[in-house]
Amino acid sequence: AGAEFSLGGSAAEPGAARQRGGPAARRAIHQANALFRVVGALEGGGAARGAAVRSRASELLGGLAASCRPAELSETLERVGMYEQEGGGSFSAEISRDPALSPEALVSRLHGIHEYLLLVLRGEPDESLALLDLLAHPEARSLARRELLNGYAKAYDRLYRVLGAQGRSAQIQHKPDYVRDLVGSILA
């Protein structure tokens, strides 16, 4: 069985694990492969054009990595964004009244992120990483993988801060620094 990212639902529940891939991800992979071929052709020559193409390729890889994350995690992060105060350091008091952002739900999401990263660290098969392996250029694969895994670390940090704002971060065994170190170990 491959690494499934669970956000608290059972594997039998619809939406418990997000199906990855699909036409949009395949198009993004095709475009990234094409852009990295262009970057390779421009190296040594038109540096300014090469930088512009590389920038577009990086944006594309960021979007591809984000599309590989579970929909439930993306939805939770969007909900958190609705309550985030200007500057991103604090949250409005209404966040504690949102049932989708209850401490129990957030603890479950954090646990899911941690478990997913442990499965990746152990080398378990993962459909998101397998999808990113379709990128032909080694630099593209490396950048997309880094973007995907660092995105999980950022999500963990953000959800941990929400629990802290609710006075509940003591319920969490692993601090964001540990998760960043875990991602660093995977990427090393």
Side-chain angles (χ1 to χ4, degrees):
E4 292 281 332
F5 182 85
S6 174
L7 293 171
S10 74
E13 289 178 1
R18 182 175 175 263
Q19 178 70 21
R20 292 162 182 91
R26 304 273 179 201
R27 274 193 305 278
I29 288 171
H30 177 73
Q31 290 172 346
N33 285 336
L35 287 171
F36 271 89
R37 281 192 299 275
V38 170
V39 166
L42 291 174
E43 285 179 351
R49 286 185 292 166
V53 173
R54 183 173 292 282
S55 173
R56 173 64 185 123
S58 292
E59 289 174 22
L60 190 62
L61 293 175
L64 177 61
S67 75
C68 289
R69 291 184 204 115
E72 296 90 344
L73 180 58
S74 296
E75 290 165 8
T76 298
L77 293 171
E78 286 175 23
R79 290 188 78 84
V80 166
M82 294 179 348
Y83 299 102
E84 211 160 13
Q85 300 291 330
E86 197 131 337
S90 60
F91 304 94
S92 68
E94 290 83 33
I95 198 167
S96 63
R97 291 190 286 269
D98 188 329
L101 299 176
S102 70
E104 296 77 22
L106 294 174
V107 167
S108 177
R109 303 279 186 289
L110 291 174
H111 179 72
I113 291 170
H114 179 249
E115 287 299 313
Y116 171 78
L117 293 173
L118 289 177
L119 289 172
V120 172
L121 181 65
R122 288 192 301 259
E124 299 272 337
D126 174 63
E127 59 187 80
S128 294
L129 295 176
L131 180 66
L132 298 180
D133 285 343
L134 296 175
L135 291 162
H137 196 280
E139 182 184 3
R141 281 192 305 275
S142 176
L143 290 171
R145 184 178 171 99
R146 182 172 303 283
E147 184 73 29
L148 174 68
L149 296 173
N150 282 328
Y152 278 112
K154 289 175 187 171
Y156 192 97
D157 181 66
R158 196 168 178 203
L159 297 179
Y160 185 90
R161 286 188 294 115
V162 172
L163 280 172
Q166 296 176 354
R168 303 288 183 96
S169 60
Q171 294 178 334
I172 303 301
Q173 177 182 0
H174 303 294
K175 308 292 182 241
D177 288 340
Y178 164 80
V179 171
R180 281 190 291 277
D181 290 343
L182 186 58
V183 167
S185 295
I186 294 168
L187 294 172

